[in-house]
Amino acid sequence: MNYTWQRLYLGLIEARPHGMMLPLVLAVLVMGSALWAVRIKHDNRSLTGALEQARVERDRLQMEWSQLQLEEAALSHHARIEATARESLGMSEPRNYVIVKTSRLETAP
């Protein structure tokens, strides 16, 4: 040990009025460390609960997204669109129609 640390150590241990200073400082440090460990453990448990809730929410949203994709696929199917157009809107395929060919130069403005 260097001289400064030896002097500090001897001053804390051997001085009568200050002889109990080292054990007191160590006791305070131990208590502070114990309180800090309890706080960290509490925070860890709280965050673990929040993480589990976030995972449950993620799973629920993933299932909902899958169901929405299935619903979109079913609603956008060509046969369903055609049936809806015929039934709800009264649309039908034209019977007499004429196909008019235009040149590429004659495009509508």
Side-chain angles (χ1 to χ4, degrees), residues 40 81 99:
I40 294 298
I81 293 172
I99 298 175

Side-chain angles (χ1 to χ4, degrees), residues 2-23:
N2 64 26
Y3 178 72
T4 307
W5 285 106
Q6 286 177 349
R7 187 172 161 206
L8 178 64
Y9 177 74
L10 291 175
L12 290 174
I13 296 293
E14 293 179 357
R16 279 286 179 212
H18 303 291
M20 296 301 290
M21 192 62 132
L22 179 63

Side-chain angles (χ1 to χ4, degrees), residues 27-40:
V28 168
L29 289 175
V30 166
M31 291 300 290
S33 175
L35 291 174
W36 182 70
V38 168
R39 172 65 189 257
I40 294 298

Side-chain angles (χ1 to χ4, degrees), residues 67-84:
Q67 289 173 349
L68 287 172
Q69 285 179 322
L70 287 173
E71 184 179 349
E72 180 187 22
L75 292 175
S76 64
H77 193 264
H78 180 69
R80 185 183 186 290
I81 293 172
E82 188 175 341
T84 303

Side-chain angles (χ1 to χ4, degrees), residues 52-70:
E52 185 60 32
Q53 288 177 351
R55 286 180 178 159
V56 167
E57 180 71 8
R58 180 201 62 197
D59 292 343
R60 185 189 68 76
L61 290 173
Q62 183 66 34
M63 183 177 292
E64 184 179 346
W65 173 246
S66 298
Q67 289 173 349
L68 287 172
Q69 285 179 322
L70 287 173

